[in-house]
Amino acid sequence: MSLLLRLLILPLALLLALPAAAKGDDAPLFEAVHAFLYEQSQALGDEVMIEVHPPAGQFPACQAPEPFLPGQRELAPGRVSVGVRCGEEGRQVRYLQAELSVFGEYPVAARDLAAGETLQRDDLRLARGDLGRLPRQAVREIEAALGQQLTRSLREGSHLLEAMLRTEPLVERRQRVVVEARGQGFRVSREGEALEAGGRGERVRVRLTNREIIEAEVIGDARLAVIF
């Protein structure tokens, strides 16, 4: 379907989706809220369903409605509160409740996976569903899980949670490591013992040969750095 045809159909689709009680003076208000939520939700998924609930009480018609998200919150699937400024200079403000359903793709296990496995692309596949029904910590992009280790086993078709993933350790506890001290115009290396495990970019404690304990960033296999 061409973009022009979509633009021609969209206002009619929004109007048909309005509650029966809003087909009169409230139609511009509801149509504005529908259009606002539709525009704001495009980055959340590739298919959006919006249901705006009529207010509990009776109010005068909203002139020149200007919808906004209260508190500058980020839009998320589920129950949504939308503020609307009405009238001259938006002096009147109303609040409507809406239900936002967003459908899109998210990664799931392509086979049964064991705890400790490092995830590769073939271990995952994309599933499609209502993103609002996923747990808050669900992983939404395959790339975010690649190279990560599972902290627990996962059955085929199950979605991933951020808490199930950890960066693959490049430094193990009690491992002999090299710590580089870096600064402008100098670099010094010292040996030490890692007191905890860590992946790339994580900071771990290290005991140097003089028994001094410092914190350094993991930069490679058994290699850490302290930047001055």
Side-chain angles (χ1 to χ4, degrees):
M1 183 184 298
S2 69
L3 177 60
L4 177 59
L5 185 55
R6 287 181 182 273
L7 293 175
L8 290 173
I9 289 178
L10 178 58
L12 177 59
L14 291 175
L15 185 59
L16 292 176
L18 300 182
K23 296 295 178 63
D25 293 341
D26 285 338
L29 169 64
F30 279 77
E31 188 173 342
V33 173
H34 267 270
F36 172 76
L37 290 176
Y38 181 83
E39 179 183 0
Q40 294 291 316
S41 62
Q42 290 308 289
L44 299 179
D46 50 25
E47 183 181 345
V48 179
M49 294 181 62
I50 301 167
E51 181 182 1
V52 179
H53 303 293
Q58 296 293 324
F59 299 93
C62 179
Q63 302 297 326
E66 296 182 6
F68 65 94
L69 292 176
Q72 297 182 338
R73 299 181 219 165
E74 291 187 2
L75 191 63
R79 191 86 168 181
V80 180
S81 178
V82 182
V84 184
R85 299 183 180 92
C86 304
E88 186 178 353
E89 298 181 0
R91 294 176 180 174
Q92 301 174 11
V93 178
R94 298 184 190 174
Y95 294 92
L96 297 179
Q97 299 296 312
E99 203 71 33
L100 181 64
S101 299
V102 179
F103 295 84
E105 295 181 330
Y106 56 91
V108 297
R111 58 179 179 83
D112 289 347
L113 298 170
E117 286 196 56
T118 300
L119 294 175
Q120 307 297 325
R121 187 169 295 275
D122 290 346
D123 297 327
L124 304 172
R125 62 177 175 83
L126 289 174
R128 182 176 178 79
D130 185 348
L131 301 181
R133 294 184 177 274
L134 292 177
R136 185 177 297 274
Q137 289 192 336
V139 177
R140 301 291 181 86
E141 303 289 340
I142 283 184
E143 286 70 19
L146 296 181
Q148 300 283 319
Q149 276 191 338
L150 280 175
T151 60
R152 47 163 287 186
S153 59
L154 200 63
R155 297 296 300 273
E156 180 180 353
S158 299
H159 56 256
L160 300 168
L161 299 178
E162 294 174 0
M164 296 177 181
L165 304 176
R166 68 181 177 194
T167 304
E168 183 177 8
L170 294 176
V171 171
E172 300 289 350
R173 184 170 178 268
R174 297 182 177 177
Q175 181 180 9
R176 300 299 299 176
V177 297
V178 174
V179 181
E180 297 179 2
R182 301 176 181 178
Q184 187 172 2
F186 74 91
R187 176 181 295 185
V188 179
S189 297
R190 299 182 64 180
E191 291 189 352
E193 178 187 5
L195 300 180
E196 50 200 350
R200 186 179 300 276
E202 295 181 334
R203 300 185 67 83
V204 300
R205 292 180 303 130
V206 180
R207 181 187 291 115
L208 302 178
T209 53
N210 63 358
R211 312 301 293 176
E212 179 186 2
I213 296 178
I214 64 171
E215 193 175 76
E217 180 182 337
V218 179
I219 60 172
D221 189 10
R223 293 176 54 239
L224 302 98
V226 179
I227 310 296
F228 293 95

